[in-house]
């Protein structure tokens, strides 16, 4: 069979009527996992796919998929799982998995390492800013081609909040579904109670502001199960959980739209400290309060300095020889270019 024949057969299989004579639509979704380096993204993703594999370091951008049938003899739904490695060092790769063709069925899972509070805000803000900018660019392009779908995607994220919700005018939902996972809760749980409270309240504010779901997890099977509930809803359309846990002394679990600014409370700082901070928005105020308590690492510190091309586990003789040759050619080009610039006469005017 040709590729075209296989494609036709796949479409016919998906559109085959079920036992009741109804056409069965195959669910196909895509999810991008991103977050701190060594934050546990791969472990969480493998558990969602029920794979008993030993997690390996993620190189750049990796892809896998899962398939599930909603019932016996039904076509299997498909979930495409992408994982961005390198923390915030490979932001330009975000544009590869998120495209105009799949934006309608795309979601993001942001995994933040609770054991590294000094990296938390910078990692979260940088990754979400770049992702949001890329998604908005796609939606703008889509709006010129199919304005109805573009409007549907934008409006969908507001549906988590009822119009009579007191925070309806105060939040700014992320343009596509977002789940924020606080990983390594087992380490986080050993922190001072006041530190845990500050981090928990801040992540509750960030999640609520973005219209995201929030869950804390660790290697504990019980906590991983809660994360799987949220991710399986995005990936395979499983029912949403309506349970809520906002107790800062316990792992948080807050589905999108079930929190409020009044329940979260003000930023965890004294009135005098807040009075000294110049902030134009609640977001800026929460950021300044959090970073005063946990001075952030610079963006350069968060870059992945390890060169994966030097990692022996990825060694390929022919590729490495060709790369070495190209590196030599590049260095020669730089030297020649430098000489040519030095030999050029510039008009003093």
């Amino acid at each position: 069979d040709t590729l075209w024949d296989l494609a036709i057969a796949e479409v016919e299989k998906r559109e085959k009527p079920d036992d009741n004579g109804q056409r069965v639509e195959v669910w196909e979704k895509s999810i991008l996992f991103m977050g701190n380096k060594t934050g546990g993204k791969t472990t969480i993703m493998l558990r969602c796919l029920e794979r008993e594999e030993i997690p390996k370091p993620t190189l750049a951008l990796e892809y896998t998929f899962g398939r599930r049938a909603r019932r016996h003899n039904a076509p299997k739904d498909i979930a495409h799982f992408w994982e961005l490695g390198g923390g915030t060092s490979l932001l330009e790769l975000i544009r590869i998995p998120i495209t105009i063709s799949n934006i309608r069925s795309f979601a993001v899972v942001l995994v933040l390492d609770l054991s590294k509070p000094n990296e938390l805000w910078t990692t979260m803000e940088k990754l979400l800013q770049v992702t949001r900018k890329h998604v908005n660019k796609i939606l703008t392009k889509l709006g010129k081609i199919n304005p109805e779908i573009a409007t549907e995607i934008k409006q969908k994220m507001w549906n988590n909040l009822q119009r009579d919700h007191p925070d309806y005018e105060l939040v700014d939902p992320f343009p596509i579904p977002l789940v924020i996972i606080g990983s390594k809760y087992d380490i986080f749980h050993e922190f001072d109670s006041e530190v845990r409270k500050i981090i928990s309240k801040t992540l509750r504010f960030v999640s609520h502001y973005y219209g995201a779901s929030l869950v804390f997890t660790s290697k504990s099977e019980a906590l991983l199960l809660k994360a799987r509930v949220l991710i399986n809803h995005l990936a395979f359309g499983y029912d949403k959980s309506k349970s809520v846990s906002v107790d800062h002394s316990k792992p948080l679990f807050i589905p999108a739209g079930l929190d409020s600014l009044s329940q979260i409370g003000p930023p965890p700082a004294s009135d005098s400290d807040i009075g000294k901070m110049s902030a134009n928005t609640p977001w800026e105020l929460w950021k300044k309060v959090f970073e005063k308590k946990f001075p952030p690492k610079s963006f350069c510190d968060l870059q992945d300095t390890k060169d994966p091309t030097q990692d022996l586990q990825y060694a390929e003789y022919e590729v490495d020889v060709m790369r070495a040759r190209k590196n030599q050619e590049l260095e020669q080009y730089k030297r020649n270019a430098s000489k040519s610039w030095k030999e050029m006469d510039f008009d003093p005017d």
Side-chain angles (χ1 to χ4, degrees):
D1 290 340
T2 65
L3 184 61
W4 185 246
D5 293 329
L6 293 173
I8 293 174
E10 179 67 19
V11 171
E12 289 176 346
K13 183 176 71 173
R14 294 185 182 191
E15 294 182 347
K16 182 181 178 181
D18 63 10
D19 296 337
N20 298 320
Q22 300 294 319
R23 291 199 176 277
V24 179
E25 181 182 357
V26 172
W27 179 291
E28 189 165 351
K29 299 290 183 177
S30 299
I31 299 178
L32 172 63
F33 288 75
M34 57 187 184
N36 293 88
K37 291 179 291 185
T38 67
K41 301 183 294 296
T42 306
T43 299
I44 294 169
M45 189 173 67
L46 290 175
R47 293 302 298 125
C48 288
L49 294 173
E50 298 180 358
R51 293 183 185 170
E52 300 295 335
E53 300 175 20
I54 298 175
K56 298 178 181 178
T58 303
L59 179 65
L61 182 68
E62 297 192 1
Y63 167 82
T64 188
F65 69 94
R67 302 177 70 198
R68 302 268 175 85
R70 276 175 259 182
R71 59 181 182 276
H72 184 61
N73 286 335
K76 290 185 177 181
D77 297 327
I78 304 169
H80 306 281
F81 282 18
W82 296 85
E83 183 182 358
L84 180 69
T88 58
S89 64
L90 300 170
L91 295 171
E92 68 277 6
L93 296 180
I94 287 174
R95 61 186 173 82
I96 295 176
I98 310 177
T99 66
I100 195 169
S101 62
N102 66 14
I103 190 65
R104 197 176 184 183
S105 59
F106 212 97
V108 171
V109 174
L110 175 65
V111 180
L112 298 174
D113 189 338
L114 296 174
S115 70
K116 299 177 180 177
N118 297 87
E119 296 181 13
L120 194 149
W121 190 282
T122 305
T123 300
M124 175 274 300
E125 187 172 48
K126 198 70 183 177
L127 286 169
L128 292 186
Q129 278 181 349
V130 173
T131 305
R132 183 169 208 159
K133 182 178 180 181
H134 176 63
V135 171
N136 285 337
K137 190 180 296 184
I138 290 177
L139 292 178
T140 299
K141 185 177 180 181
L142 182 61
K144 297 176 182 177
I145 303 171
N146 194 326
E148 290 184 0
I149 292 181
T151 301
E152 174 195 313
I153 293 173
K154 294 175 183 177
Q155 182 57 42
K156 186 178 180 180
M157 292 311 299
W158 285 96
N159 293 341
N160 287 324
L161 280 182
Q162 300 296 324
R163 284 196 171 273
D164 59 354
H165 194 289
D167 303 334
Y168 196 82
E169 302 295 332
L170 302 175
V171 297
D172 186 17
F174 205 68
I176 55 179
L178 172 65
V179 170
I180 297 178
I181 297 178
S183 65
K184 301 187 181 179
Y185 179 79
D186 50 335
I187 300 175
F188 174 76
H189 187 61
E190 301 300 321
F191 288 1
D192 177 79
S193 60
E194 191 60 29
V195 170
R196 295 202 311 270
K197 183 177 180 181
I198 293 171
I199 296 173
S200 296
K201 287 189 67 171
T202 301
L203 286 179
R204 282 182 65 186
F205 168 78
V206 169
S207 300
H208 184 59
Y209 181 83
Y210 274 133
S213 297
L214 174 65
V215 59
F216 284 1
T217 190
S218 68
K219 293 181 179 179
S220 159
E221 192 62 33
L223 293 185
L224 278 172
L225 181 60
K226 291 191 173 185
R228 285 173 58 190
V229 167
L230 294 176
I231 296 170
N232 282 333
H233 170 69
L234 298 177
F236 300 107
Y238 288 13
D239 291 340
K240 279 185 178 181
S241 173
K242 294 183 179 179
S243 65
V244 178
S245 175
V246 297
D247 186 344
H248 298 140
S249 65
K250 299 177 181 178
L252 297 183
F253 182 83
I254 312 172
L258 299 185
D259 211 343
S260 68
L261 295 177
S262 61
Q263 290 179 319
I264 297 169
S270 65
D271 293 339
S272 60
D273 284 342
I274 290 178
K276 296 174 185 176
M277 298 176 182
S278 56
N280 296 320
T281 64
W283 180 272
E284 290 181 11
L285 182 58
W286 277 86
K287 177 180 179 179
K288 290 189 175 185
V289 169
F290 187 83
E291 292 187 339
K292 186 176 186 299
K293 180 68 177 179
F294 306 106
K297 289 189 175 182
S298 68
F299 181 62
C300 292
D301 291 336
L302 295 176
Q303 295 289 328
D304 192 355
T305 56
K306 183 179 179 181
D307 184 356
T309 64
Q310 304 302 317
D311 194 326
L312 294 178
Q313 70 172 315
Y314 303 116
E316 291 188 41
Y317 177 75
E318 294 181 355
V319 174
D320 294 339
V321 169
M322 179 61 72
R323 181 181 178 86
R325 185 183 305 163
K326 292 298 181 182
N327 284 340
Q328 290 176 357
E329 293 175 2
L330 178 60
E331 290 304 317
Q332 184 63 45
Y333 172 81
K334 288 179 179 178
R335 286 193 292 269
N336 294 339
S338 178
K339 289 178 183 178
S340 63
W341 275 102
K342 291 176 182 178
E343 293 169 359
M344 291 179 67
D345 292 326
F346 291 94
D347 189 330
D349 296 332

